[in-house]
Amino acid sequence: MDSFRPSPHGLPALTRLDGTPVRVLVVDDDPDLAEVLCGALRYQGWEVRAAGDGAAAVAAAREVQPDAVVLDVMLPDTDGFAVLRELHAVRPDVCVLFLTARDAVEDRIAGITAGGDDYVTKPFSLEEVVARLRGLLRRAGMAGQPAAGPRLTVGDLVMDEDAREVTRAGELIELSPTEFELLRFLMDNPRRVLSKAQILDRVWSYDFGGQAHVVELYISYLRKKVDAGREPMIHTVRGAGYVLKPAVR
């Protein structure tokens, strides 16, 4: 793991919408690693709490109501996936970044399928953890968003960016922060074919190491929510990418 260094880009402070510090819970049974992570996150001006096992993590989440959780997959009393389910029961919209020593694609997909928003594999740089957390918090509405209009409309699909609500034909669609940001990008570019590389760059805002399968996974999530039981709006253009366009009536 690399030592933490302040960002050379002078990143702006990230706060909650009410101006108070972002609250982060770090869950790892390695006390040395947890201490270093907490120090790096406090350097961002955030309030940070640490927990060494799953039970302590859930108890801490009930107390502090974190905005984001850095969650190790392997814990002494349970696994991170089980903890995630309990965390979502406490705070459904919490952002979750998994830490894992597992590098297999199926393990990464398992983490995201379980409801995690992102993951990093050990060993990692602290700057990478901070950057990914900042990206998750921005997608969750914890920071300023692009100065587009507050409402996007494509056919009968409507996104209210201020309220962070999406409806189709008047029916509310519940989206995770990452799903919301992906749909926003598609709706910002109706009828335009977007490549997986463009989507990774815009939605995840960092080099994802060519893990284009994550885009495929999230597109499938969106289709289940936006297109389920309706005329499809999200289309695959083989060899090129994806496009959102009004449904054919």
Side-chain angles (χ1 to χ4, degrees):
M1 183 179 61
D2 298 340
S3 60
F4 178 74
R5 300 179 303 278
S7 169
H9 304 296
L11 295 174
L14 201 62
T15 66
R16 309 180 81 223
L17 294 178
D18 61 5
T20 59
V22 168
R23 297 192 291 250
V24 182
L25 175 62
V26 174
V27 186
D28 198 295
D29 64 338
D30 182 336
D32 293 331
L33 176 57
E35 181 179 357
V36 172
L37 278 168
C38 288
L41 300 179
R42 290 190 182 106
Y43 188 83
Q44 298 294 310
W46 300 344
E47 292 182 1
V48 185
R49 174 76 69 87
D53 58 41
V58 174
R62 291 195 178 101
E63 179 181 348
V64 304
Q65 293 290 306
D67 303 300
V69 179
V70 181
L71 179 58
D72 192 8
V73 170
M74 302 300 293
L75 296 169
D77 58 341
T78 184
D79 64 57
F81 304 142
V83 174
L84 176 60
R85 289 191 290 271
E86 295 194 59
L87 290 175
H88 277 164
V90 173
R91 189 168 173 83
D93 58 349
V94 68
C95 302
V96 177
L97 174 67
F98 274 120
L99 302 179
T100 177
R102 302 171 176 175
D103 197 33
V105 169
E106 56 268 25
D107 290 324
R108 298 182 182 190
I109 292 177
I112 293 177
T113 303
D117 296 290
D118 203 350
Y119 57 84
V120 293
T121 55
K122 299 177 181 178
F124 52 80
S125 77
L126 292 174
E127 284 189 336
E128 180 183 17
V129 172
V130 170
R132 295 199 183 194
L133 277 177
R134 288 178 66 94
L136 291 179
L137 290 164
R138 283 195 301 270
R139 295 199 291 273
M142 299 300 297
Q145 298 291 343
R151 289 173 69 89
L152 297 173
T153 302
V154 179
D156 61 354
L157 185 65
V158 178
M159 172 179 285
D160 186 324
E161 297 185 271
D162 288 342
R164 297 190 69 79
E165 290 183 349
V166 174
T167 59
R168 182 163 182 194
E171 182 179 342
L172 186 64
I173 300 173
E174 297 289 344
L175 299 177
S176 72
T178 301
E179 291 166 349
F180 186 93
E181 188 67 13
L182 174 56
L183 183 59
R184 186 212 302 269
F185 187 40
L186 293 173
M187 293 183 72
D188 269 335
N189 297 274
R191 302 181 184 275
R192 176 186 173 192
V193 178
L194 301 171
S195 69
K196 292 176 184 176
Q198 288 175 307
I199 293 171
L200 283 172
D201 181 65
R202 171 61 179 82
V203 177
W204 278 265
S205 301
Y206 54 79
D207 180 5
F208 214 78
Q211 302 297 339
H213 62 85
V214 174
V215 176
E216 298 167 5
L217 185 64
Y218 270 94
I219 287 289
S220 72
Y221 289 166
L222 274 186
R223 280 181 166 142
K224 290 175 183 177
K225 295 182 177 183
V226 172
D227 288 344
R230 308 178 179 97
E231 289 297 318
M233 295 183 67
I234 302 171
H235 303 271
T236 300
V237 180
R238 189 174 299 277
Y242 303 97
V243 60
L244 178 80
K245 53 189 177 181
V248 177
R249 296 184 180 278

